[in-house]
Amino acid sequence: MAALVVADHDHATLKPATLCAITAAQSLGEVTVLVAGTDCRAAAEAAAAVAGVAKVLLCDAPTYAHPLAEALAPLIARLAPAFTHVLAAATTTGKNVMPRVAALLDVAQVSDITAIIDADTFVRPIYAGNAMATVKSADPVKVLTVRTTAFDKALAGGSGAIETVEPGEPQSLSRFVGQELTKSERPELTAARVVVSGGRGMGSGENFRIIEDLADKLGAAVGASRAAVDAGFVPNDYQVGQTGKVVAPELYVAVGISGAIQHLAGMKDSKIIVAINKDEDAPIFQVADYGLVADLFQAVPELTATLTKP
């Protein structure tokens, strides 16, 4: 067996999610990593240095300057027949590219896997994580996306060979127009050790300063429930949940979040969950390790002030 991992990267470094996908792939045979981009040899060298990576396929071309699915999918599908499994992290890029790869190969994708039982059998969450389905695939090439919170990051220590592959033909189905990047000194949400999230109970976007002050004291990332995002309190990239980002930090602090199943699906694997809510019957308390029934506008500033004390 042989597994191909599609790297998610910024042309210079691998994103942490890719390291989790590599860990998943190691149980499926020899691991090859595909790095497609522009001036991305540094990312390929980073992939080659990951323990367990036997080979890196480097495809450096202007076509892959941005991870457009319409450009990447044909390249991956062309390489796929040499492998038994093709994997990518279930990030925004992975969720966009891999279904197209599966369609081109005429196979069924197995999405968001959390465990690998054998080469054909995988476990994935359904019903917003309230049940786990065991799925067996008979396809000649298994196309998988990996829930990164379910696998540890692969460590450094490898010395894989780097091999150049030819790019595909330029495509005209889509073109890159532009992007707006959110810059922050706080940790990236999906990679943070500590996350502080606010919900509808925050009342307004201005009140999120309470959350941000606490996050800064803890060195944490800031998240939010879908209700808070839909209300316009914070941008979409703050959203944690089934339709947002899936996180599993060492500490997750949920402030003013009721705990709808869609939100729980994105954070219930956190090591320690602390909930602050004035509603003692809020569902969030059912998964919390520590719960505080209190007015968040009083409790959170008090907590922040306590952390400030020498």
Side-chain angles (χ1 to χ4, degrees):
M1 297 189 299
L4 175 66
V5 175
V6 181
D8 200 347
H9 60 88
D10 63 2
H11 304 283
T13 59
L14 294 180
K15 294 186 178 180
T18 299
L19 300 177
C20 300
I22 290 172
T23 296
Q26 288 175 358
S27 63
L28 296 170
E30 185 177 87
V31 177
T32 299
V33 176
L34 170 64
V35 176
T38 301
D39 296 327
C40 58
R41 174 162 284 275
E45 291 174 349
V50 175
V53 174
K55 182 167 61 176
V56 175
L57 300 180
L58 171 61
C59 190
D60 195 324
T63 304
Y64 310 113
H66 305 283
L68 299 179
E70 292 80 5
L72 284 171
L75 170 66
I76 299 167
R78 190 186 83 206
L79 299 171
F83 301 91
T84 55
H85 300 78
V86 181
L87 304 88
T91 59
T92 301
T93 299
K95 291 178 180 179
N96 191 27
V97 174
M98 298 305 277
R100 289 172 167 82
V101 174
L104 290 172
L105 296 174
D106 194 24
V107 301
Q109 176 178 300
V110 183
S111 304
D112 219 20
I113 65 168
T114 58
I116 298 171
I117 296 176
D118 59 38
D120 302 321
T121 313
F122 313 94
V123 177
R124 61 179 300 269
I126 58 175
Y127 302 127
N130 284 305
M132 304 301 288
T134 300
V135 181
K136 190 176 183 69
S137 172
D139 289 323
V141 179
K142 279 71 173 176
V143 176
L144 314 169
T145 58
V146 177
R147 175 167 288 201
T148 56
T149 57
F151 297 90
D152 294 331
K153 296 174 186 175
L155 303 176
S159 56
I162 299 177
E163 178 182 314
T164 302
V165 296
E166 292 297 318
E169 294 293 327
Q171 57 85 31
S172 58
L173 293 173
S174 65
R175 63 188 178 89
F176 179 78
V177 176
Q179 64 185 2
E180 294 181 9
L181 299 177
T182 301
K183 295 183 179 180
S184 174
E185 294 182 357
R186 298 189 184 96
E188 201 279 321
L189 185 56
T190 56
R193 294 177 58 251
V194 181
V195 174
V196 182
S197 288
R200 192 197 303 273
M202 298 305 302
S204 71
E206 292 182 357
N207 289 337
F208 255 78
R209 283 181 296 184
I210 300 173
I211 296 289
E212 293 168 351
D213 288 344
L214 177 59
D216 289 342
K217 293 299 180 185
L218 295 172
V222 175
S225 67
R226 178 171 178 174
V229 171
D230 287 349
F233 297 168
V234 289
N236 287 350
D237 57 337
Y238 280 40
Q239 184 179 330
V240 173
Q242 183 182 16
T243 55
K245 295 179 179 178
V246 177
V247 300
E250 294 180 17
L251 172 63
Y252 187 89
V253 183
V255 181
I257 295 175
S258 63
I261 59 172
Q262 291 85 356
H263 184 76
L264 299 184
M267 46 66 72
K268 67 180 183 180
D269 291 331
S270 303
K271 304 300 184 293
I272 297 176
I273 299 172
V274 175
I276 302 174
N277 200 300
K278 66 180 180 181
D279 179 7
E280 63 181 16
D281 296 321
I284 191 70
F285 289 122
Q286 297 177 13
V287 299
D289 298 287
Y290 301 94
L292 176 61
V293 179
D295 182 346
L296 68 89
F297 296 106
Q298 178 180 351
V300 175
E302 287 181 357
L303 175 58
T304 302
T306 301
L307 293 171
T308 305
K309 293 179 181 179

